[in-house]
Amino acid sequence: MPANCTRVVDSAVGCPEIPIIVGSGNARVVMWPGNNAQFRTFQIITLTAGARTIRLHHGSDAVYYVMSGAGSIVDLVSSEVFPLAEGAMVHIDAGDAYEFRAGDGQDLKILGGPCPADESLYADLAFREGH
């Protein structure tokens, strides 16, 4: 696909999951090298109440937007916990370790990811899907 081409991706159809959730929820890959994204990647991460992501860290910066719900992001180096609510945005510097947590009584839905791609997030997908 040419670099100047626009493509619409339906995040409800055909988006593979990556295994980054502990507890109930999912992480669907919307834009990634497997569908020819070159400069930006993102996932839709849905955590049900009490769930969290695994420890995440990337060689590049990452940005996330809280689509709905409430929870927190944890800086795994300093152990600081920062609350998140609908409409919040988070920037993570390259190399920083973090995890997202849904609140005890709330689900959390987040859109975002590293830029450029962190190929390690997609290693299993590349093998399974032949990309």
Side-chain angles (χ1 to χ4, degrees), residues 83-125:
L84 296 174
E86 184 174 329
M89 290 200 72
V90 178
H91 173 265
I92 296 103
D93 288 329
D96 286 353
Y98 63 98
E99 73 180 29
F100 289 104
R101 295 178 183 169
D104 287 333
Q106 293 251 356
D107 294 347
L108 181 64
K109 189 171 187 176
I110 305 164
L111 169 71
C115 179
D118 176 352
E119 296 287 342
S120 68
L121 283 175
Y122 314 116
D124 290 339
L125 295 179

Side-chain angles (χ1 to χ4, degrees), residues 69-82:
S72 59
I73 184 168
V74 181
D75 179 330
L76 295 176
V77 174
S78 70
S79 297
E80 286 184 87
V81 178
F82 301 94

Side-chain angles (χ1 to χ4, degrees), residues 34-50:
N35 62 10
N36 298 316
Q38 296 177 348
F39 306 108
R40 183 77 181 105
T41 67
F42 65 85
Q43 289 69 240
I44 295 178
I45 300 170
T46 304
L47 302 171
T48 59

Side-chain angles (χ1 to χ4, degrees), residues 1-86:
M1 183 177 302
N4 63 351
C5 183
T6 300
R7 179 175 173 207
V8 176
V9 177
D10 184 346
S11 63
V13 178
C15 292
E17 287 188 37
I18 52 175
I20 64 168
I21 306 302
V22 176
S24 186
N26 61 54
R28 296 202 174 274
V29 177
V30 179
M31 296 300 298
W32 66 298
N35 62 10
N36 298 316
Q38 296 177 348
F39 306 108
R40 183 77 181 105
T41 67
F42 65 85
Q43 289 69 240
I44 295 178
I45 300 170
T46 304
L47 302 171
T48 59
R52 66 177 175 84
T53 63
I54 62 171
R55 177 186 186 275
L56 298 168
H57 72 284
H58 317 288
S60 59
D61 290 2
V63 174
Y64 295 91
Y65 170 74
V66 179
M67 298 170 67
S68 64
S72 59
I73 184 168
V74 181
D75 179 330
L76 295 176
V77 174
S78 70
S79 297
E80 286 184 87
V81 178
F82 301 94
L84 296 174
E86 184 174 329

